[in-house]
Structure formats: C-alpha cells, structure tokens
Amino acid sequence: MGFAIPGYFTPRPALGIKDNLYVKAVVIGDGHNFTAIIVLDTIGIEKEEVDAIRNRVTEATEIPASHILVAATHTHTGGPIYRDRDSNGDEYTAYLVKKAADAAVLAYGNKRKAQIGFAKGKAEGISFNRRYFMQDGSLRTNPGFNKPDIVKPAGPIDSDVFVIRLDAEDGSPLGVITNFACHPDTIGGKRYSADFPGEISRVLKAVYGESFISLFLNGACGNINHLDFMHNVRPEPDAFRQLGRVLAGEVIKTREKAIKENSFHIEGRSKLLSLNVRKPSPEDLLKAKELIHASEHPENKKAIPEVDIFFAKQLLALSERQETEAFVEIQALRIGASAIAAFPCELFVEFGHDLKQRSPSPHTLIATYANGVNGYVATREAFVHGGYETRLTSRTRLAPDSGERMVETALGLLQQLCSSDGGIKIE
C-alpha cells in the first residue's frame, strides 16, 4: 500500500486491492528447442528488467534470451514499474524480476507432453479508436461524451482474437494464450487490478478449473480503447468485467475450433534496431520552464492543468538526456503454425494490420509492451494531425518513421523463421 500506481499524469498512492496482480509464464518446446512467454500485470516492463528476467531464466533453464518473450498486459492499475516516477520503484521491480523469472523456471520444471492448437475469432463492439476528427478540423484523443462536433474516428480498430490452445496429452485443458488489441484502462481509482485480462482469467478458470492458466498478449492498441465516443455509449461501471467476459466467451468458442498441430517447430529471433529520436526545440523548452515556474506559485496551482505541467516536466527530463539514437528490440517467435511479433512500445493499430496482412504466418500474434518501454509509436499521418499520442515525453520520443521500420524488421525476422524448415502450413 502507498506505492504510486502509474498510468495517469499525477501519482495515485495505492489504497487497496480490487483483484490480484500476477506474473504468468508458459514454456513450450518441440523436443529440441524451447521458448518461454512471460506476461506481467504491469503497465510496462523496462529493458533493464527484461534483461534481468531473461538472465535468471537462461541460467536455470538454458533457454536462450532470443526465445524468451517478456510482455506487460499494460494494466493502468498496477505497481510502480517506472523508477523515475516513484521512489519505491527499485524495491518493486527487484521483487517483480524474481517473480517473473521464477514463474518461467517453474513452468520449465513442470514440462510434460502436451497438445497445441491455433485459431482466430472476433470480438466486435467492445473496442474503439480513441482519436477523432472534429468539425473545426482538429483531432482529439478521447474527446468526451455528448460532443456534437465529433466527425468520425481517425483510424480503424482490430477485432481479431487469436487463441493458442494448450492441452495435456489426454486432451484435458492446461491453458491458453489470448491476443487482442485494447487498452486495459477501464478502472481508474487507487486499487490494484489486472483490469480485463484478469477477468478473462477468472472466467476461464471457472470453466476449465483453477489450474488453468490464461496469458494475455496485448495487440497493437496504441490508439484503441473501450470508449465509444462516436455513439455516446458510456461504459458500464465495471467495464473491465464486461470486456473480460466478452473476450473470455470468444476464447472459449474459438478454442474449440483450434486446429491441433501434429508436427511442431520452435524458434526465436530478435534484433536491436537503431532509431532516430526527437528532441524538444529551444522554444518549447523555454515555455516548459516558464510553465513549471508559474505552477510553483500557490495562486496558479489550480489555474494550470496538471496535464500541462506533466508534459512540461517530461520535456525537461528528455532534454537532459544525451541521447542521439534509441536501440529497441524487435523479436519474433515461431510456435508451430503460429508466429508472434513483439514490439517494445504502444504501437498504433494501423501497423498491426499491415504486419498481419504481410506476414508469412497465417496466425500472427502481435505482442506490444514487450521487451522494453518506448512510449507511443504513431503513424506518419498521426504526426501530421497531432494529438496526445504524438506529444514528446521521456519515452514517447521516437521519430515518425519508427513504426514503419519496426514493422519491416519484424517481417524480416518472420520471413527467416518461416523459411527455416520449408515454411508454415495449416491443413
């Protein structure tokens, strides 16, 4: 209690527990190679912690780092993973590294013969593009309800629900990996919660038993959330339950249609990609300093929005870094007839569509918030229109061409994986 919950512009000291936070892991092997997928109920996972988790897992299991995927669900009601925003970050992240690695080591030690299958479903009407064109020509993120000047959403959504089904040799259910694109920010408040991925798990456990493990990989949802501003449909008070139950129902249905694999292949590859970074202009830095100085006067505390103070402080923090380029990890995993492309950022949905359409794998899952934290990665068009997701911060700083370069790198890795044994086939 008392640790700052990240995800908003001001600190939220944790006052309670709505539902438990977990780290979960699955280890899958083909008799020769293994991959470990580790998912944490956090808003993100910094590269330093990813490396520490991988080192701990590799030391205990000999699974290479390129075969270990570490992803966050991106819940906005998790612990203080960002050390620069909370003094308790060091304590929490050290604890989290051990828990996350141990989950994978335990999974590896619990190996057994199993069956695996893949399928794709749809969940429509629960996710929405959160960027909107307005009648005055501007673009606004989350413009609010009952706004008659909304024209239309500024982009698409992705309703695909990918399911990897894991069963014991006798057919009894072991677990599932689910992939869907939507921001887990449906709760707010000051109580810890895994948001809708936690509700998916609770429903699936009620159906398949308490030992059933549900891992959630979040898709390209940088501009996707659960709010339907276009039709002024306000979410239910416990929207996380609605989303979780709709998705769990789709997982149950889709899981039953999964095509099981007879032959199996495991492989993983990753690449460090050098990307250009944006820097604040001298004019913007001067304005930021003036705003912060003005906000320190008691009479201005309520007059200056907290969001403006947040972005001003972020510009100053970014300017103090001697960073000329950013190195980000792009990872691809081959798991039988399925492939996973992992990105260390909040990727816009347009990039997800592009990658899936061009991927050599018929089942390509996109894991974001994986293997590092680099803020929003928006499309070039989004940079033209502006909006919240393109504003400079200490993390959202990558150049406008970064998304395209990330996708091309992921496609190159997927091509290598899918051609290594004659390609991926589904019969």
Side-chain angles (χ1 to χ4, degrees):
M1 298 299 100
F3 284 14
I5 298 175
Y8 290 0
F9 298 114
T10 55
R12 291 177 291 159
L15 301 180
I17 301 169
K18 192 175 185 72
D19 54 85
N20 288 332
L21 305 172
Y22 287 89
V23 293
K24 303 174 183 180
V26 59
V27 171
I28 304 171
D30 60 8
H32 304 285
N33 299 311
F34 290 92
T35 185
I37 299 173
I38 304 168
V39 178
L40 306 91
D41 286 331
T42 64
I43 196 168
I45 182 73
E46 298 276 14
K47 190 65 168 69
E48 182 180 349
E49 278 70 58
V50 171
D51 291 342
I53 291 168
R54 284 171 164 170
N55 290 339
R56 191 174 171 96
V57 173
T58 299
E59 183 179 349
T61 67
E62 298 186 354
I63 300 174
S66 61
H67 287 215
I68 301 172
L69 168 62
V70 184
T73 61
H74 197 56
T75 176
H76 282 53
T77 40
I81 192 67
Y82 297 148
R83 298 176 176 182
D84 59 341
R85 297 186 191 175
D86 185 79
S87 59
N88 297 304
D90 285 343
E91 177 184 351
Y92 185 73
T93 52
Y95 167 79
L96 200 64
V97 164
K98 294 177 181 178
K99 287 288 189 179
D102 288 353
V105 174
L106 287 169
Y108 181 83
N110 194 35
K111 296 189 302 296
R112 70 191 81 172
K113 290 184 177 181
Q115 303 178 62
I116 191 167
F118 310 93
K120 183 178 76 171
K122 290 279 186 183
E124 298 176 326
I126 60 171
S127 61
F128 308 89
N129 198 293
R130 69 183 193 177
R131 291 165 56 85
Y132 291 83
F133 291 120
M134 311 301 288
Q135 287 183 0
D136 63 1
S138 66
L139 184 143
R140 290 179 62 186
T141 298
N142 293 334
F145 292 100
N146 298 312
K147 301 292 184 182
D149 54 339
I150 293 176
V151 178
K152 64 178 181 178
I157 63 165
D158 187 348
S159 58
D160 287 347
V161 180
F162 282 106
V163 172
I164 299 179
R165 171 180 178 171
L166 300 163
D167 294 337
E169 192 174 20
D170 64 1
S172 58
L174 292 177
V176 70
I177 301 172
T178 302
N179 184 220
F180 182 72
C182 187
H183 252 77
D185 184 16
T186 71
I187 295 175
K190 297 180 180 180
R191 290 193 293 165
Y192 291 122
S193 172
D195 211 290
F196 69 80
E199 184 67 11
I200 295 173
S201 179
R202 283 186 290 276
V203 173
L204 295 180
K205 281 181 178 292
V207 174
Y208 298 113
E210 278 300 309
S211 63
F212 190 85
I213 304 298
S214 167
L215 281 77
F216 180 81
L217 294 176
N218 213 327
C221 67
N223 47 346
I224 304 295
N225 66 14
H226 69 294
L227 301 173
D228 184 5
F229 294 116
M230 190 69 192
H231 300 100
N232 291 316
V233 180
R234 293 181 180 273
E236 297 293 327
D238 279 341
F240 78 103
R241 297 195 191 280
Q242 180 189 36
L243 263 72
R245 290 172 182 179
V246 170
L247 285 168
E250 187 60 27
V251 169
I252 293 168
K253 182 175 68 175
T254 304
R255 178 185 173 277
E256 294 302 320
K257 299 184 291 185
I259 300 173
K260 293 187 178 180
E261 286 260 314
N262 293 320
S263 59
F264 198 67
H265 183 82
I266 286 283
E267 195 174 351
R269 301 195 182 190
S270 67
K271 181 176 181 179
L272 276 182
L273 180 63
S274 172
L275 297 170
N276 295 323
V277 295
R278 297 178 288 151
K279 292 284 189 179
S281 68
E283 295 79 14
D284 288 339
L285 283 176
L286 179 60
K287 291 179 182 178
K289 291 176 182 177
E290 291 174 346
L291 182 68
I292 293 171
H293 179 71
S295 71
E296 294 171 351
H297 293 282
E299 64 271 18
N300 292 332
K301 280 193 175 293
K302 292 184 178 180
I304 301 176
E306 292 177 338
V307 62
D308 292 340
I309 298 172
F310 169 83
F311 278 109
K313 290 181 177 179
Q314 286 288 298
L315 286 185
L316 295 184
L318 182 60
S319 69
E320 293 171 358
R321 288 159 52 173
Q322 303 300 313
E323 186 183 43
T324 58
E325 59 183 340
F327 291 92
V328 304
E329 180 187 356
I330 306 300
Q331 183 185 34
L333 297 178
R334 165 91 181 272
I335 305 175
S338 178
I340 301 175
F343 299 89
C345 60
E346 303 196 47
L347 196 68
F348 266 36
V349 67
E350 289 89 343
F351 293 121
H353 281 299
D354 182 35
L355 179 64
K356 287 194 287 189
Q357 289 169 3
R358 298 166 60 198
S359 172
S361 169
H363 289 303
T364 301
L365 288 70
I366 295 174
T368 55
Y369 314 102
N371 305 326
V373 177
N374 292 280
Y376 289 98
V377 172
T379 62
R380 290 178 188 262
E381 182 182 9
F383 276 98
V384 172
H385 294 296
Y388 164 71
E389 297 87 355
T390 62
R391 294 188 69 173
L392 263 176
T393 71
S394 60
R395 293 182 175 83
T396 301
R397 72 215 188 281
L398 300 179
D401 66 342
S402 297
E404 296 165 5
R405 295 186 60 196
M406 286 181 175
V407 168
E408 294 303 324
T409 300
L411 281 170
L413 294 174
L414 291 171
Q415 291 284 1
Q416 294 171 26
L417 293 178
C418 294
S419 62
S420 60
D421 68 339
I424 291 180
K425 298 179 182 179
I426 291 184
E427 296 179 358

